[in-house]
Amino acid sequence: MRGWDWETAYVFSQNLLTQLQTNLIYKPNLARAIAGGYDANGNPKAGGNYSLVAPGFSENNGLVVQPAASTRLRAPAA
């Protein structure tokens, strides 16, 4: 087996992996999602049915309004 020569090479320009997952909990949002305390417009409201959470797994994107995760905080459906 003479004459064999092994070579490996890796050209790095940009190695980007984008992964989309559902039902993945972003830990900093957990307490926010359960707490509620906001109205649908994002204004603080005692016992509000909405939460302010960070979108896109980043604290730098600002906060968005979503329904509170705790069913105790939501009004019953009419």
Side-chain angles (χ1 to χ4, degrees):
M1 291 256 168
R2 288 188 334 173
W4 282 85
D5 192 17
W6 294 91
E7 288 185 24
T8 61
Y10 179 74
V11 177
F12 179 80
S13 58
Q14 182 179 12
N15 187 5
L16 177 66
L17 173 64
T18 302
Q19 191 173 32
L20 300 177
Q21 297 178 344
T22 58
N23 299 323
L24 182 65
I25 295 174
Y26 179 54
K27 190 173 179 179
N29 277 341
L30 189 58
R32 294 178 189 148
I34 293 171
Y38 294 90
D39 65 13
N41 296 318
N43 301 315
K45 176 184 176 187
N49 294 332
Y50 292 86
S51 299
L52 288 179
V53 296
F57 304 107
S58 173
E59 297 293 313
N60 299 324
N61 294 334
L63 299 175
V64 296
V65 179
Q66 76 169 25
S70 175
T71 56
R72 293 177 302 129
L73 298 174
R74 294 186 189 170

